[in-house]
């Protein structure tokens, strides 16, 4: 019998002297130097890697199960903008601001953060129908204490001379100095490396979780497609766009995910440092002189991920829009274009907390994953390992979906 198993003589002896409490659906054992809580994190994207890092840091015995390659899902095809602008209502805004602060804390934790760039964002509008929302968002962000200021075209041109300021038109330009972006794959790699080297976490690549095994209504283990079996006191589901799937007895959550499309130029001789957001167009540097291009209206033409050509219509549309703002891109072409699933819980907001079906089953999935991930990691570790419940997260608990379905079912049978 495995040492540390709930039925082992060693475990029963320890249990007599343990301080036990119930936390977020997980039994927390406060036993120093004897046994650690066993946590399996499913998914190694930026949310899963953050959860694994923080849980290992808190003293848990962590195993990460990844079906493909590290951060090879949505995290590998993300504009990765750290921000809280337009994030409403207030609890969602506050969560995103907490995520932005957690990125700074993580940088201090590591001494350096080669995955994190914080050089600000410029935003403007040229479509008259969107102006009211644009000005209202500026007002709301200022009222909530978010860093934003108006800036004229002359100053923008001085800060970012590669921009054709005539493309901006007469709209006031808003500047968000605290915003930035992350390289999610690099971030995940560093978090998992630290979790392994500092606290002995294990990372299993090519291990697709297929079943969360239970006993007496509690998590017992996770089984993978290749027959591996990992004992667990708690399981954290960080599978993003796949979090609606059932894993044995463990149910998923309802999603309304969308498709994201990103284009990448080859290296171009630009000195652009900031992000640019113009109507539904988003631009930012992507390392080695490359520029990343995103446009919401292109996203909306897809119902599922597809393989696209760098010489196809979508690439041409993205490059044309970007070239109007950054003329140097006109002759650059597109080096790569990629699509991905962008995970959205059904109501559009973060889902984080204990699932109501099985004790020890925890969900962490959100659209704003890059911004929120380091804060979600702290929340997961606090609630599962330390037993510290975050009351500010009550708005985002999974229970809301199952209450809604229960109410619909009741109405349907009246």
């Amino acid at each position: 019998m495995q040492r540390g198993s709930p039925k082992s003589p060693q475990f029963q002896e320890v249990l007599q002297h343990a301080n036990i409490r119930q936390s977020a659906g997980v039994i927390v054992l406060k036993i120093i130097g004897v046994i650690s809580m066993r946590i399996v994190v499913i998914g190694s994207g930026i949310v899963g890697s953050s959860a694994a890092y923080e849980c290992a840091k808190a003293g848990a015995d962590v195993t990460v199960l990844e079906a493909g390659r590290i951060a090879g899902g949505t995290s590998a095809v993300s504009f990765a903008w750290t921000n809280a602008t337009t994030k409403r209502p207030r609890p969602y805004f506050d969560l995103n601001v907490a995520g932005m602060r957690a990125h700074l804390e993580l940088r201090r934790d590591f001494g350096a953060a080669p995955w994190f760039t914080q050089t600000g964002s410029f935003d403007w509008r040229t479509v008259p129908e969107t102006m009211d929302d644009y000005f209202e968002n500026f007002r709301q962000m200022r009222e909530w204490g978010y860093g934003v200021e108006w800036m004229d075209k002359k100053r923008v041109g001085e800060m970012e001379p590669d921009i054709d300021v005539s493309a901006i038109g007469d709209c006031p330009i808003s500047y968000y100095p605290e915003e930035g972006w992350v390289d999610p794959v690099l971030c995940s790699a560093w978090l998992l490396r630290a979790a392994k080297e500092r606290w002995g976490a294990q990372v299993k690549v090519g291990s697709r979780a297929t079943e969360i095994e239970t006993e007496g209504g509690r998590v017992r283990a996770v089984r993978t497609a290749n027959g591996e079996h990992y004992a667990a006191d708690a399981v954290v589901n960080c599978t993003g766009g796949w979090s609606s799937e059932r894993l044995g007895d463990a149910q998923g959550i309802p999603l309304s995910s969308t498709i994201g499309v990103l284009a990448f130029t080859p290296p171009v001789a630009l000195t652009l440092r900031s992000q640019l957001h113009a109507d539904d167009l988003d631009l930012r540097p992507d390392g080695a002189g490359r520029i990343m291009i995103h446009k919401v209206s292109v996203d909306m033409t897809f119902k599922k991920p597809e393989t696209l050509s760098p010489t196809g219509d979508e690439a041409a549309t993205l490059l044309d829009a970007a070239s109007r703002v950054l003329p140097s891109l006109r002759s650059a072409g597109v080096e790569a274009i990629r699509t991905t699933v962008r995970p959205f819980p059904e109501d559009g907001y973060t889902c984080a907390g204990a699932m109501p079906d099985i004790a020890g089953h925890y969900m962490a999935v959100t659209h704003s994953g890059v911004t929120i991930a380091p804060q979600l990691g702290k929340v997961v570790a606090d609630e599962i390992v330390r037993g510290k419940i975050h009351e500010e997260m009550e708005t985002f608990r999974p229970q809301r979906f199952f209450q809604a379905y229960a109410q619909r079912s009741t109405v349907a049978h009246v």
Side-chain angles (χ1 to χ4, degrees):
M1 183 175 294
Q2 181 182 357
R3 181 175 174 82
S5 166
K7 294 183 179 180
S8 71
Q10 296 95 330
F11 189 93
Q12 294 299 321
E13 180 180 351
V14 164
L15 200 59
Q16 295 176 10
H17 306 287
N19 179 12
I20 306 175
R21 67 180 184 274
Q22 184 79 16
S23 168
V26 178
I27 293 292
V28 180
L29 302 179
K30 297 184 70 174
I31 308 166
I32 301 175
V34 179
I35 191 170
S36 297
M37 174 179 286
R38 300 163 301 179
I39 296 178
V40 172
V41 177
I42 305 176
S44 71
I46 193 167
V47 173
S49 296
S50 296
Y53 172 80
E54 293 293 345
C55 286
K57 182 180 179 181
D61 181 358
V62 174
T63 300
V64 179
L65 302 181
E66 168 54 53
R69 69 180 193 274
I70 299 299
T74 301
S75 291
V77 190
S78 171
F79 194 79
W81 171 19
T82 56
N83 77 96
T85 187
T86 73
K87 305 290 179 70
R88 290 186 285 266
R90 184 60 187 265
Y92 189 49
F93 169 83
D94 289 341
L95 179 58
N96 279 268
V97 169
M100 294 172 70
R101 290 173 179 159
H103 276 287
L104 299 178
E105 294 169 5
L106 195 61
R107 183 163 64 187
R108 289 192 291 269
D109 202 6
F110 276 77
W115 60 83
F116 181 44
T117 302
Q118 190 181 30
T119 49
S121 299
F122 292 101
D123 188 13
W124 65 87
R125 297 289 180 271
T126 63
V127 180
E129 292 80 9
T130 66
M131 291 299 181
D132 287 347
D133 289 342
Y134 176 69
F135 286 111
E136 172 57 22
N137 180 69
F138 184 95
R139 183 202 67 77
Q140 184 71 87
M141 295 299 102
R142 286 285 290 269
E143 182 179 299
W144 286 351
Y146 194 59
V148 59
E149 59 190 89
W150 292 123
M151 192 167 288
D152 61 32
K153 287 194 286 188
K154 181 176 182 295
R155 179 60 177 143
V156 172
E158 292 170 348
M159 293 176 66
E160 298 290 1
D162 296 302
I163 297 175
D164 179 1
V165 294
S166 68
I168 298 175
D170 297 325
C171 178
I173 303 152
S174 52
Y175 178 59
Y176 298 86
E178 297 175 306
E179 294 183 351
W181 70 87
V182 170
D183 291 319
V185 177
L186 187 60
C187 179
S188 298
W190 277 101
L191 290 173
L192 293 178
R193 174 179 172 176
K196 290 187 291 184
E197 292 181 352
R198 298 177 188 178
W199 304 296
Q202 298 184 67
V203 179
K204 305 293 184 180
V205 177
S207 296
R208 182 171 63 88
T210 56
E211 181 181 3
I212 296 177
E213 297 182 354
T214 63
E215 184 176 312
R218 296 193 56 80
V219 164
R220 178 175 177 272
V222 178
R223 188 173 294 279
T224 67
N226 53 13
E228 297 166 337
H229 186 267
Y230 297 94
D233 302 304
V235 175
V236 187
N237 188 328
C238 303
T239 55
W242 294 268
S243 58
S244 61
E245 296 182 3
R246 194 174 186 91
L247 295 175
D249 293 333
Q251 57 190 330
I253 62 165
L255 298 176
S256 55
S257 298
T258 62
I259 303 303
V261 183
L262 293 178
F264 305 82
T265 71
V268 181
L270 296 175
T271 60
L272 183 71
R273 297 178 66 248
S274 308
Q275 293 181 81
L276 309 178
H277 307 285
D279 298 318
D280 75 334
L281 176 69
D282 305 302
L283 304 169
R284 73 163 173 85
D286 193 46
R290 291 176 174 83
I291 300 297
M292 183 185 292
I293 310 170
H294 171 250
K295 192 170 174 61
V296 174
S297 56
V298 173
D299 292 348
M300 295 175 65
T301 64
F302 291 88
K303 299 296 184 183
K304 61 181 181 179
E306 297 182 21
T307 300
L308 301 179
S309 169
T311 59
D313 291 342
E314 297 83 6
T317 297
L318 290 166
L319 185 64
D320 178 65
S323 298
R324 295 176 190 177
V325 178
L326 298 172
S328 296
L329 297 182
R330 288 196 180 103
S331 60
V334 170
E335 186 175 73
I337 183 168
R338 304 184 181 106
T339 65
T340 190
V341 174
R342 302 166 71 219
F344 277 86
E346 188 179 50
D347 59 6
Y349 296 108
T350 298
C351 180
M355 290 286 282
D357 57 340
I358 298 168
H361 181 203
Y362 200 100
M363 186 69 66
V365 58
T366 182
H367 164 59
S368 301
V370 168
T371 298
I372 298 172
Q375 178 63 16
L376 276 186
K378 292 175 181 291
V379 169
V380 170
D382 279 349
E383 297 197 333
I384 296 180
V385 185
R386 300 185 181 99
K388 175 186 175 184
I389 302 302
H390 284 250
E391 299 297 337
E392 76 276 9
M393 296 298 295
E394 289 308 308
T395 303
F396 307 106
R397 301 305 190 190
Q399 183 67 34
R400 69 188 190 269
F401 296 117
F402 303 99
Q403 289 172 337
Y405 284 130
Q407 291 168 358
R408 291 175 199 167
S409 178
T410 300
V411 170
H413 287 85
V414 170

